[in-house]
Amino acid sequence: MDELVVELFKINAIKFGDFVTKVGLNTPVYFDLRVIVSYPNLMERLSEIIIEKVDFSDVKLVCGVPYTALPIATIVSCKSKVPMVMRRKEAKSYGTKKLIEGVFTDGDSCLIIEDVVTSGSSILETTKDLRSSGLICKKAIVLLNREQGGEDFLKENGIKMQSLLSMTDLIQILFEKNLITTKTKERVTHYISSNRVKSEALTLSLKEDRLSLSFTKRATYAKNNMAKKLFNVMAKKETNLCVAADLTEATDILNLAEQVGPYICCLKTHIDILQDFHPNFIKRLKEIAETHEFILMEDRKFADIGNTVQLQYSQGLYQISSWASLITVHSLFGRSILDSIIESNDDIGVFLIAEVSSSNNLIDEKYTTETIKLGLSYESSIAGVVCQNPLFRDFPGFLQLTPGVQLDSTKDNLGQQYNSPEKVIENGADIAVVGRGITKSADIAGSAEQYRRVLWDACKRRISEC
Ligand code: 5BU
């Protein structure tokens, strides 16, 4: 081990100074094993030491925590002849792809390999995905244990962590070899003993599956103010119903809003289908929204260059920016469309359209994936995504809005496709949009109440089952 430590020091994998760790801690010592890929002999030696240390009798597979430990895990696998699996870091966030690559069967036990452990959160994230894919993860081997609480945190989560080196060993070796001064040794020792990461804080910092969380909890994750508000309204009124007010006369929309108001979290308009638009209509609609505590969304589906969108959003007859708290936007034009909207009004909640409900639409998987990525890079302006599938389970602060919902019908004659309320909730919807299913009903209020109940019950079931 002494030799290895000296080698690692020489290649600059161990640094002393002022650094910030992945979990946001300031540290006087930093261990960066990424450079090791440039030193094959060292990688090989390290892998051999891992193989010597680990009892492989109950290990069927190995898995490196992406990315730094991947090359080490590969060599360990080749030398020990224990097959490897790989965890995809991106799949969970951006799509429905496989989380784990490689061949395995339910119940196979998997050894996790990691370079450095501070809090243990990276190992646990990888473990969560391996476990949800049916693997058993009880053991981890790490090169360096920073002795800041990671070992205990992992133990609480059923993982026994073995390390080749502790920070105390490492500092002692470097000191004995005259590679660091007494002052550095003392500084690091003091730092380690007084900077343990709290496991409660860690549990909170782990990304959670939105499908299993209450809306009140999710409001705390939301970075967008309108999303926060929406979550709180949903929790308070116990509703995930949004009514699409696709009517062409102002009084009809106002009547509809009065009747469905108690049962909805959001009323969605297509303002340009109104025959008799007047600013007074907006004034009255806002009053009703305030009385019944729902939020107004204009489903304008902006899609143009930034300059045109800015004009469409804040000028013209409808002055959308002055009254709609939420709007829908196509991702087709990329970042400029979002920049132009935020420049006009930074207190907006944008729903980005990632998938649509109409048959034979042209959206493909890449478009959907890129839309989610775009949304994630504008966290404070994006309230959520319009889509049909649970594309972003790892981001509890975002809402999934799903249109195409009806109890009694599966399609209309112009390409619209409907799912039942239960099905859309199962497919990840947080808010379901119902238009004609309610507006064409003989008993509008009764129908809204029925949709609210069916959706809310399905949502409660989902939260408890996930
Ligand atoms: P319906 O009457 O429930 O079919 O109305 C659905 C509403 O949702 C309507 O206003 C559409 O413009 C809107 N919609 C949709 O149906 N499908 C989509 O993919 C998107 C919006 Br995006």
Side-chain angles (χ1 to χ4, degrees):
M1 280 321 293
D2 289 21
E3 252 172 60
L4 188 79
V5 169
V6 172
E7 284 303 311
L8 290 171
F9 183 79
K10 279 194 196 150
I11 65 164
N12 237 357
I14 308 163
K15 296 178 190 138
F16 295 90
D18 292 303
F19 308 96
V20 179
T21 67
K22 192 183 149 203
V23 285
L25 294 171
N26 291 315
T27 170
V29 54
Y30 194 73
F31 200 80
D32 178 6
L33 211 67
R34 279 168 294 195
V35 287
I36 204 172
V37 290
S38 307
Y39 304 90
N41 289 338
L42 202 53
M43 272 205 291
E44 191 173 34
R45 183 72 200 112
L46 183 56
S47 309
E48 283 164 359
I49 300 179
I50 290 178
I51 295 171
E52 281 161 27
K53 278 257 182 181
V54 171
D55 168 13
F56 278 92
S57 61
D58 58 351
V59 172
K60 275 242 165 111
L61 299 161
V62 296
C63 178
V65 175
Y67 291 99
T68 314
L70 285 181
I72 307 286
T74 312
I75 301 174
V76 169
S77 167
C78 291
K79 284 191 172 282
S80 64
K81 307 291 177 225
V82 175
M84 168 167 144
V85 285
M86 276 201 302
R87 170 186 173 239
R88 276 177 176 275
K89 249 186 136 173
E90 298 81 7
K92 194 162 184 198
S93 317
Y94 305 132
T96 48
K97 288 193 216 100
K98 271 200 297 189
L99 293 176
I100 309 296
E101 300 290 351
V103 179
F104 57 91
T105 39
D106 259 18
D108 280 353
S109 58
C110 184
L111 170 77
I112 316 248
I113 301 177
E114 173 64 310
D115 57 345
V116 187
V117 162
T118 306
S119 65
S121 59
S122 298
I123 289 191
L124 199 64
E125 268 177 33
T126 292
T127 306
K128 271 173 80 180
D129 284 349
L130 292 169
R131 286 177 174 164
S132 73
S133 302
L135 294 169
I136 294 175
C137 304
K138 289 188 177 162
K139 289 201 327 193
I141 177 93
V142 308
L143 172 56
L144 177 70
N145 176 5
R146 288 184 60 112
E147 299 171 291
Q148 286 175 268
E151 190 173 356
D152 291 345
F153 180 60
L154 290 171
K155 198 167 161 205
E156 282 165 28
N157 287 281
I159 301 158
K160 188 168 181 301
M161 186 194 96
Q162 201 183 348
S163 59
L164 303 188
L165 273 173
S166 66
M167 189 60 100
T168 313
D169 301 334
L170 180 94
I171 295 304
Q172 188 57 31
I173 296 170
L174 291 175
F175 182 67
E176 280 168 13
K177 301 279 177 196
N178 285 325
L179 293 169
I180 55 168
T181 59
T182 316
K183 201 167 154 223
T184 304
K185 182 182 177 222
E186 278 167 4
R187 192 170 167 227
V188 175
T189 311
H190 175 257
Y191 165 79
I192 296 295
S193 59
S194 51
N195 280 280
R196 285 177 67 86
V197 188
K198 295 245 175 340
S199 58
E200 310 88 76
L202 277 170
T203 309
L204 277 179
S205 75
L206 281 174
K207 284 191 177 151
E208 293 200 70
D209 181 359
R210 72 177 164 93
L211 303 185
S212 66
L213 298 176
S214 72
F215 294 127
T216 317
K217 176 96 190 277
R218 286 176 61 188
T220 65
Y221 283 102
K223 299 260 167 36
N224 174 257
N225 285 340
M226 290 305 160
K228 250 187 214 307
K229 202 167 157 188
L230 201 45
F231 276 128
N232 288 324
V233 167
M234 292 163 76
K236 183 172 173 197
K237 292 177 73 178
E238 302 201 332
T239 178
N240 23 33
L241 174 62
C242 165
V243 163
D246 294 340
L247 305 170
T248 55
E249 287 184 24
T251 46
D252 290 344
I253 296 186
L254 295 175
N255 279 338
L256 174 73
E258 287 278 16
Q259 292 189 68
V260 301
Y263 311 111
I264 60 174
C265 57
C266 176
L267 188 85
K268 186 176 85 59
T269 51
H270 284 295
I271 202 67
D272 56 355
I273 64 174
L274 268 180
Q275 289 167 1
D276 52 356
F277 177 84
H278 190 276
N280 279 344
F281 158 75
I282 292 295
K283 191 165 166 267
R284 183 67 198 120
L285 190 60
K286 279 167 88 173
E287 285 166 6
I288 301 172
E290 212 160 288
T291 309
H292 292 294
E293 263 191 276
F294 61 78
I295 300 177
L296 295 176
M297 175 190 296
E298 168 55 23
D299 191 5
R300 176 61 182 78
K301 299 190 182 68
F302 292 100
D304 212 314
I305 57 165
N307 184 59
T308 304
V309 165
Q310 224 167 42
L311 295 170
Q312 290 170 325
Y313 176 45
S314 52
Q315 303 297 317
L317 186 58
Y318 307 118
Q319 310 254 312
I320 295 168
S321 64
S322 71
W323 56 270
S325 304
L326 300 163
I327 53 171
T328 54
V329 174
H330 280 298
S331 54
L332 187 69
F333 278 69
R335 309 189 78 84
S336 55
I337 200 163
L338 291 172
D339 292 337
S340 68
I341 286 165
I342 298 161
E343 201 180 286
S344 304
N345 174 10
D346 63 4
D347 198 21
I348 182 73
V350 171
F351 274 91
L352 265 188
I353 299 165
E355 289 177 329
V356 297
S357 62
S358 55
S359 56
N360 302 320
N361 66 76
L362 304 183
I363 292 179
D364 62 11
E365 199 181 319
K366 179 161 187 288
Y367 185 87
T368 301
T369 305
E370 292 302 317
T371 301
I372 302 291
K373 278 194 201 165
L374 178 66
L376 293 175
S377 64
Y378 281 83
E379 264 188 309
S380 59
S381 307
I382 302 290
V385 176
V386 186
C387 57
Q388 301 287 321
N389 293 291
L391 306 171
F392 54 94
R393 292 181 70 149
D394 260 3
F395 298 89
F398 280 180
L399 287 138
Q400 175 176 332
L401 181 87
T402 303
V405 187
Q406 257 205 45
L407 280 163
D408 309 318
S409 181
T410 57
K411 58 181 195 288
D412 69 6
N413 56 5
L414 290 172
Q416 173 69 305
Q417 304 176 112
Y418 291 115
N419 280 309
S420 68
E422 287 93 345
K423 183 73 188 160
V424 292
I425 294 292
E426 191 186 308
N427 283 354
D430 296 310
I431 300 178
V433 178
V434 182
R436 286 162 287 176
I438 289 173
T439 58
K440 298 254 185 248
S441 153
D443 173 12
I444 289 195
S447 169
E449 156 69 317
Q450 184 189 11
Y451 273 98
R452 184 209 69 80
R453 187 169 24 82
V454 177
L455 286 164
W456 190 253
D457 287 349
C459 199
K460 274 197 300 193
R461 270 199 305 281
R462 179 179 82 189
I463 291 174
S464 65
E465 281 164 13
C466 267

